[in-house]
Amino acid sequence: MLVSSPAHSFQALLRLLRYAKGYRRRIIAATACSIINKLFDIAPEILIGVAIDVVVNQEQSFVASLGFETPQQQITMLAVLTFVIWAGESLFEYLFQILWRNLAQRLQADMRQDTYEHAQRLDMAFFESRSSGQLVATMNDDVNQLERFLDGGANAMVQVVVTVVVIGAVFFVLSPLIALLAFTPIPLIIWGAFFFQRKAGPLYSDVREKVGDLASRLSNNLSGIATIKSFTSEDREAERLREASEAYVDANRRAIKVSSAFIPVIRMAILAGFLATFTVGGMMALNGSLNVGAYGVLVFLTQRLLWPLTGLAQVIDLFERAMASTRRILDLLEVPITVKDDSTTPLAQPVRGEVTIDNVSFHYATSGVGVENIHLHAPAGNTLALVGATGSGKSTLIKLLLRFYDPENGRVLIDGQPITDISMNSLRQSIGLVSQDVYLFEGSIRDNIAYGKPDADEAAIIDAAKTAEAWSFIETLPQGLDTPVGERGVRLSGGQRQRLSLARALLKDPPILVLDEATSAVDNETEAAIQRSLKRIAHGRTVIMIAHRLSTIVHADEIVVIEKGQVAERGTHSSLLAADGHYAAQWRVQTGEAQAGDVEAVSSL
């Protein structure tokens, strides 16, 4: 939980202003309209005092000295001036509402977009260490908190300052003594505001954390609803959600308890200032040392001076919530990008697809596992298969090829070009990935197949679907290519999702195709269909396959066995069987020809 203080909050405000430097003209215009509106808003109280002066002193009034001789002329002039003031106040209220609200909408939309685009460029390690619910809460709820402050709180802060400065100036012109008495409670009010802000600040930081936890819980549970149902865990998960929700409610309750105590305490300070003006000013008017009209102005303006300060509670409440959210948003925006896309150089065309992993070492910061001194070479148009136990480092090599991470030592090259010397876009456009964990986007089958090539025509989409052996089930669906797949593809079977994933990669037509356990979660019929597809797909392109089912890789040009982050064996299927090592032992287990010790050898892989 962040420890908040006025200094931290104003530091967050300065960071926000630096971020919003492109909006300065809008901020200045909105602030100017707020100031002018408040000047018009204060003026009627002054006019009331002037009107009293006209009624009491008539030809000797202040207005008479301006050239309006008769009381009737003076009242008429005040009536016209009153109309102008009210019209001006209404006009500038309309303007500041439009300006502040549009600024709030524009800034929140741009900040959410900037945050999302920055998050997309962050390393995979960042996403592996963060909850998606927390990120959604930052990009959505935190941004909305800032919008609420700009929508009303910013104008309120400006107008409180204007009220104190302008009314203070009027007071000191009319009666310095009463000004001192009226302003006496202000230090107490301001001290109280910051006292409550210091108390409420950490509480609202806690509120932001709790809403992130709640969003994360909801996101995880809705994504895992099938698992929850299958384990009959509905009641347990509902209780865990209730606990997260109650923690959010309790955090808000603690913050509300502190912020709600502000107004009753400050109200008494306001009463003291008003009574001082009322009694002392009245005595001065009675003995003739203070003009009656001036006394009326002071009495009316005392309330206008002090009462808006009670709004500091709500303003500081909005301000603190917004600054707690701003810190989270800007902290996310300032997360450094380690794997940087510094190059604009594309891969040399045409891309042949030769892949070289040259003495590469890499270890994950959290676990320390990874790969050590790996050297692999896949000539253009060849098929390279990687096998090994879960966690041996196979998928890590794919992540290094795609530059999800950069190696600690060594290089990854495509067609002899180090991938760090080419643009990310050019690199990833040249690689098609089909993963075990298929992710389909909510939308139609057509949308998902064409995801990597949105401008593809229907004939190309159908051709990719046929090549991936997905067309046979697509054409049986009532809506065909326009069939909705549901969130993450829940309306389709695992095999159907896998075929669509393969079709999506094929439509992209990459020179390098990566299959990361692409058939491990499908039935035998689907596996056979995908294998038929792969024989056609592999022609003319480099294929890198990660597989547990060895039957899917027997035709690979080279098979590499990875064990504990290092190359244990390499060769063709027949040469590895002849070597009678780990690969041969695993083959016998999978084909039902296991010998004594084979199971132990396979389990160590």
Side-chain angles (χ1 to χ4, degrees):
M1 183 181 72
L2 293 170
V3 179
S4 183
S5 69
H8 287 136
S9 295
F10 283 108
Q11 185 182 36
L13 178 60
L14 292 175
R15 291 174 67 192
L16 176 62
L17 290 174
R18 284 195 296 270
Y19 169 81
K21 61 183 179 181
Y23 306 84
R24 284 177 184 169
R25 289 186 179 180
R26 301 186 198 185
I27 294 171
I28 291 171
T31 302
C33 288
S34 293
I35 291 171
I36 296 171
N37 168 260
K38 179 50 64 175
L39 294 176
F40 279 125
D41 182 49
I42 293 169
E45 275 72 18
I46 298 175
L47 288 181
I48 291 172
V50 174
I52 293 172
D53 181 50
V54 168
V55 171
V56 173
N57 296 315
Q58 299 187 17
E59 285 81 2
Q60 284 75 44
S61 69
F62 169 75
V63 178
S65 67
L66 300 177
F68 299 91
E69 297 179 356
T70 67
Q72 290 77 13
Q73 290 176 330
Q74 296 171 31
I75 292 297
T76 301
M77 186 277 292
L78 289 177
V80 172
L81 190 57
T82 299
F83 173 80
V84 171
I85 287 171
W86 279 71
E89 180 187 359
S90 299
L91 172 63
F92 281 96
E93 181 170 3
Y94 168 76
L95 291 176
F96 84 63
Q97 293 272 15
I98 289 290
L99 289 169
W100 280 118
R101 289 183 177 181
N102 284 338
L103 173 65
Q105 291 300 316
R106 185 70 268 150
L107 185 59
Q108 65 93 14
D110 291 346
M111 183 169 270
R112 182 181 291 112
Q113 188 69 26
D114 289 347
T115 307
Y116 173 74
E117 289 181 7
H118 179 73
Q120 283 194 129
R121 294 192 296 270
L122 290 174
D123 312 332
M124 289 302 297
F126 173 82
F127 294 98
E128 291 168 359
S129 64
R130 298 291 183 97
S131 159
S132 60
Q134 289 282 358
L135 294 175
V136 170
T138 297
M139 295 181 196
N140 190 46
D141 197 59
D142 282 328
V143 171
N144 289 341
Q145 287 289 347
L146 179 59
E147 177 199 354
R148 291 185 194 107
F149 170 68
L150 292 173
D151 213 25
N155 171 69
M157 288 184 74
V158 170
Q159 294 202 334
V160 164
V161 173
V162 173
T163 298
V164 172
V165 172
V166 173
I167 294 180
V170 173
F171 265 57
F172 277 99
V173 168
L174 295 177
S175 175
L177 173 61
I178 294 179
L180 289 173
L181 293 173
F183 271 72
T184 298
I186 290 181
L188 176 61
I189 294 171
I190 295 175
W191 174 85
F194 283 105
F195 172 79
F196 281 101
Q197 188 268 339
R198 283 196 301 273
K199 294 289 185 182
L203 299 177
Y204 281 124
S205 291
D206 190 37
V207 168
R208 306 305 327 128
E209 293 295 327
K210 292 298 189 292
V211 76
D213 293 342
L214 182 58
S216 181
R217 173 64 58 193
L218 282 167
S219 176
N220 288 338
N221 283 14
L222 292 175
S223 297
I225 192 67
T227 303
I228 292 172
K229 286 179 176 293
S230 67
F231 282 89
T232 63
S233 299
E234 292 92 339
D235 291 342
R236 184 167 75 246
E237 291 302 332
E239 181 59 32
R240 292 171 70 179
L241 179 63
R242 186 177 295 108
E243 289 173 0
S245 183
E246 287 301 318
Y248 176 53
V249 170
D250 288 342
N252 260 308
R253 184 183 295 119
R254 289 191 294 271
I256 291 168
K257 181 179 179 181
V258 171
S259 62
S260 298
F262 178 73
I263 289 180
V265 172
I266 299 307
R267 188 187 295 268
M268 301 310 297
I270 291 171
L271 177 62
F274 179 75
L275 287 177
T277 303
F278 185 78
T279 55
V280 175
M283 295 298 179
M284 292 174 66
L286 287 173
N287 64 31
S289 61
L290 182 65
N291 182 284
V292 173
Y295 172 61
V297 171
L298 292 173
V299 169
F300 283 114
L301 287 184
T302 300
Q303 273 197 306
R304 296 305 301 271
L305 170 68
L306 298 176
W307 184 249
L309 295 177
T310 61
L312 281 175
Q314 285 78 19
V315 173
I316 289 176
D317 182 70
L318 282 172
F319 178 74
E320 186 54 46
R321 286 175 182 263
M323 291 307 102
S325 294
T326 296
R327 284 191 295 272
R328 285 161 56 98
I329 297 165
L330 296 180
D331 285 348
L332 177 55
L333 275 170
E334 292 170 7
V335 172
I337 299 171
T338 304
V339 182
K340 296 181 179 179
D341 188 12
D342 294 329
S343 176
T344 57
T345 304
L347 269 169
Q349 299 296 318
V351 179
R352 294 181 295 106
E354 178 188 12
V355 176
T356 303
I357 296 176
D358 182 20
N359 200 35
V360 162
S361 296
F362 171 81
H363 301 87
Y364 294 99
T366 52
S367 63
V369 301
V371 293
E372 190 74 35
N373 300 325
I374 293 283
H375 183 84
L376 300 174
H377 180 66
N382 278 23
T383 297
L384 171 67
L386 305 176
V387 298
T390 300
S392 61
K394 307 182 302 298
S395 294
T396 299
L397 294 172
I398 302 305
K399 292 176 182 178
L400 293 172
L401 174 62
L402 285 160
R403 280 205 76 195
F404 290 164
Y405 299 91
D406 279 337
E408 297 157 7
N409 298 302
R411 301 181 303 166
V412 180
L413 304 96
I414 294 179
D415 291 350
Q417 290 180 264
I419 61 173
T420 52
D421 294 345
I422 58 179
S423 70
M424 290 273 200
N425 184 66
S426 178
L427 167 68
R428 292 172 182 169
Q429 283 291 334
S430 302
I431 302 172
L433 174 65
V434 182
S435 176
Q436 176 185 6
D437 183 19
V438 176
Y439 191 97
L440 298 183
F441 294 89
E442 190 165 8
S444 67
I445 289 176
R446 182 194 309 275
D447 295 336
N448 276 278
I449 294 178
Y451 185 75
K453 196 174 182 181
D455 57 347
D457 58 30
E458 183 155 332
I461 293 172
I462 293 174
D463 185 58
K466 287 180 177 178
T467 305
E469 301 219 8
W471 184 246
S472 57
F473 81 82
I474 293 174
E475 63 180 348
T476 65
L477 299 172
Q479 294 175 264
L481 286 170
D482 296 315
T483 302
V485 302
E487 187 176 6
R488 296 181 65 93
V490 294
R491 298 184 182 180
L492 304 177
S493 70
Q496 290 171 336
R497 291 196 296 270
Q498 195 66 265
R499 294 188 206 188
L500 289 187
S501 176
L502 185 58
R504 178 168 63 190
L506 292 176
L507 184 62
K508 185 179 175 181
D509 193 24
I512 301 168
L513 182 65
V514 176
L515 304 172
D516 189 356
E517 312 251 17
T519 62
S520 63
V522 299
D523 55 43
N524 291 333
E525 181 183 351
T526 302
E527 180 187 354
I530 292 176
Q531 287 305 309
R532 289 193 299 271
S533 302
L534 291 177
K535 289 180 181 179
R536 296 192 296 272
I537 294 164
H539 181 70
R541 78 180 79 232
T542 304
V543 179
I544 299 177
M545 302 176 63
I546 294 177
H548 278 303
R549 296 184 185 181
L550 302 185
S551 58
T552 63
I553 60 170
V554 293
H555 300 295
D557 295 291
E558 183 178 37
I559 300 170
V560 177
V561 179
I562 307 294
E563 182 179 354
K564 296 180 180 178
Q566 295 183 318
V567 174
E569 295 177 307
R570 65 197 320 156
T572 62
H573 173 70
S574 57
S575 67
L576 287 173
L577 290 182
D580 198 26
H582 286 300
Y583 180 86
Q586 187 172 357
W587 174 261
R588 286 192 292 267
V589 168
Q590 291 190 11
T591 56
E593 301 173 359
Q595 303 172 0
D598 281 351
V599 175
E600 289 78 3
V602 169
S603 63
S604 68
L605 251 175

